[in-house]
Amino acid sequence: MNTDWMSRTIAEVDPDVATALENERLRQNNNLEMIASENFVSQAVLTAAGSIMTNKYAEGYPGRRYYGGCEQYDIVENLARDRARELFGAEHANVQPHSGAQANMAVLMAMVKPGSTILGLDLSHGGHLTHGHPLNYSGKSFNVVPYGVKKDTERIDYESIAALAAEHKPRLIICGASAYPRTIDFERIGQIARENDALVLADIAHIAGLVVAGLHPSPVPHCDFVTTTTHKTLRGPRGGLILCREAFAKDVDRALFPGVQGGPLMHAVAAKAVAFREALEPRFAEYQKQVLLNAAALADALVGLGWRLVSGGTENHLVLLDVFSKGVTGKVAEKALERASITVNKNTIPFDTQPPLVASGIRLGTPALTTRGMDEDDMRAIAGFIDRVLSAPGDDSVAAAVRADVEALCARYPLYL
């Protein structure tokens, strides 16, 4: 049998996909990637993610597989689990979730009966779909009581959480956020949960890298379950992770497999192991420190240019910019910046008067820019780019001029050459 087909390049097999991949490489090189939930992985992580471990089924867990030939997969998964526990100081780690959403789903299915009450941060106040949005399985399967931020400070209303927990006696309280620029008091939420005989799940998808580096308080000592994605500030492959107390390990593992997933994506698990190894290095903490310095510099520069930030600033890796305060919608801002080679996402802000697909804000993040090596001076320049574009969002000549400046800046920090 002729096996020459196995050695053909992607350009030979599928030039359309090859062209798309090359165009995306150029986009990532020549654009400012400011979506707070995105980052750039190392060549080592890319190699693992595209490795021969994509060829194998490995249903089950190390030492308890349903398929033969899994010796190397057990080694890799155990490395990933051990490193995750070491990074976070957790008792148990499950590295198989395909995404953060499925990590959350596994915890909910393991611990909360359908129809039971849960508390979660409102999506429009910075929460996540899986924290109880009515169109998500979490909102459809459970009785969701949302909590939010205070209108005057735009910071989480912990007194409201305590009052809602006392009134509704939830089975589970979910904390964590996807668009919240301030430090989260996990200790306080954990105390509220214990006072009301509730479990608590911390979703740290956005801030996991900061937690690992000791730059944000860890939820692990205060929460029964911690979930995260691995591709944001952790700077790993796209995927999820569950951490929990040993007492809940069997229930969580069973809820993930065979509960909500079949075979794990072992090439992704291998890439997670590599990323966790990178996160154990001292320079990873230095990287996270620069992420925070860059976010603060970006925020200060935008305020200096007259823009309003939700909650007045940032204490983590992201900035939530209220563009509607100057008469621009998030939708218009996203498209205008994209024409200038600046990638952001429109985002609702607390008490938003615009629908989600229009929104009053944009979410900005510094993890990917920091990975490229950019510093505070660059953030101040980028704030100026953003101001120029959003001060004339329909002006193509302004977009073109800023795009040239963006490309010149990106050329100083090459990526994936």
Side-chain angles (χ1 to χ4, degrees):
M1 179 179 176
N2 190 324
T3 58
D4 291 348
W5 63 272
M6 293 186 68
S7 60
R8 289 184 297 170
T9 66
I10 190 170
E12 293 172 318
V13 173
D14 195 331
D16 295 326
V17 170
T19 298
L21 291 174
E22 175 58 14
N23 287 340
E24 175 59 12
R25 185 189 69 81
L26 293 172
R27 187 195 71 82
Q28 291 185 23
N29 268 285
N30 298 327
N31 282 245
L32 292 174
E33 186 57 74
M34 299 191 71
I35 293 178
S37 55
E38 295 184 5
N39 211 331
F40 301 119
V41 302
S42 68
Q43 189 61 53
V45 171
L46 279 178
T47 298
S51 70
I52 57 173
M53 284 199 164
T54 196
N55 293 335
K56 187 81 180 71
Y57 260 118
E59 284 187 356
Y61 292 100
R64 294 178 59 84
R65 304 288 188 185
Y66 289 84
Y67 290 82
C70 289
E71 179 182 357
Q72 302 307 317
Y73 299 83
D74 285 2
I75 291 172
V76 165
E77 185 167 345
N78 279 328
L79 285 171
R81 295 199 298 189
D82 291 346
R83 290 168 183 172
R85 287 197 299 268
E86 182 178 356
L87 281 171
F88 292 96
E91 294 178 8
H92 179 73
N94 188 313
V95 298
Q96 291 192 10
H98 299 339
S99 68
Q102 286 183 293
N104 286 347
M105 187 176 190
V107 172
L108 285 165
M109 289 190 66
M111 294 294 124
V112 186
K113 294 179 179 179
S116 297
T117 298
I118 63 173
L119 265 60
L121 180 61
D122 193 301
L123 179 66
S124 66
H125 287 212
H128 189 261
L129 284 169
T130 57
H131 299 180
H133 190 276
L135 295 180
N136 184 259
Y137 74 88
S138 56
K140 292 180 178 180
S141 301
F142 310 106
N143 174 41
V144 179
V145 177
Y147 62 88
V149 301
K150 294 181 178 180
K151 196 162 189 175
D152 55 344
T153 64
E154 295 176 310
R155 301 194 186 201
I156 290 174
D157 189 343
Y158 294 98
E159 291 80 10
S160 175
I161 297 174
L164 290 170
E167 178 183 357
H168 296 280
K169 296 298 179 182
R171 168 63 174 165
L172 179 77
I173 299 174
I174 305 177
C175 55
S178 64
Y180 183 70
R182 296 295 177 173
T183 299
I184 298 174
D185 192 343
F186 294 118
E187 182 176 8
R188 189 168 183 184
I189 295 173
Q191 181 180 357
I192 292 170
R194 288 189 295 275
E195 289 172 353
N196 292 279
D197 196 28
L199 298 170
V200 58
L201 161 63
D203 179 346
I204 60 169
H206 268 266
I207 57 172
L210 301 176
V211 169
V212 164
L215 300 173
H216 188 291
S218 173
V220 172
H222 312 292
C223 302
D224 303 290
F225 310 92
V226 177
T227 60
T228 181
T229 53
T230 51
H231 52 271
K232 298 183 177 78
T233 51
L234 267 181
R235 204 162 57 178
R238 302 193 70 82
L241 169 68
I242 304 171
L243 306 166
C244 68
R245 305 193 194 285
E246 189 62 41
F248 301 116
K250 288 184 179 179
D251 288 335
V252 166
D253 286 354
R254 288 171 183 157
L256 186 73
F257 172 81
V260 300
Q261 288 186 182
L265 307 177
M266 286 305 300
H267 53 293
V269 172
K272 291 174 191 179
V274 175
F276 297 160
R277 177 65 184 83
E278 292 176 341
L280 287 166
E281 298 175 354
R283 60 182 172 180
F284 184 78
E286 295 304 312
Y287 159 70
Q288 298 293 343
K289 291 176 185 176
Q290 191 62 49
V291 167
L292 292 184
L293 291 172
N294 283 351
L298 178 67
D300 290 345
L302 287 168
V303 169
L305 291 166
W307 291 93
R308 191 187 88 82
L309 306 184
V310 170
S311 80
T314 182
E315 293 168 341
N316 57 26
H317 65 299
L318 68 84
V319 173
L320 197 54
L321 181 61
D322 178 1
V323 293
F324 200 63
S325 63
K326 289 197 176 186
V328 182
T329 67
K331 181 179 181 179
V332 167
E334 178 187 301
K335 291 299 182 183
L337 289 167
E338 188 172 32
R339 290 194 295 273
S341 296
I342 301 173
T343 310
V344 306
N345 68 276
K346 59 183 169 293
N347 213 99
T348 56
I349 64 174
F351 311 101
D352 207 326
T353 58
Q354 301 296 319
L357 288 177
V358 177
S360 294
I362 57 173
R363 188 180 62 168
L364 308 172
T366 57
L369 300 182
T370 307
T371 292
R372 295 186 75 152
M374 296 184 186
D375 60 17
E376 296 97 316
D377 287 341
D378 298 314
M379 297 305 113
R380 287 184 274 270
I382 291 167
F385 298 163
I386 293 170
D387 179 63
R388 286 161 60 192
V389 172
L390 297 187
S391 295
D395 192 323
D396 289 339
S397 64
V398 171
V402 172
R403 184 167 61 250
D405 290 339
V406 165
E407 290 177 358
L409 175 60
C410 289
R412 291 165 45 200
Y413 302 97
L415 179 75
Y416 299 141
L417 296 179

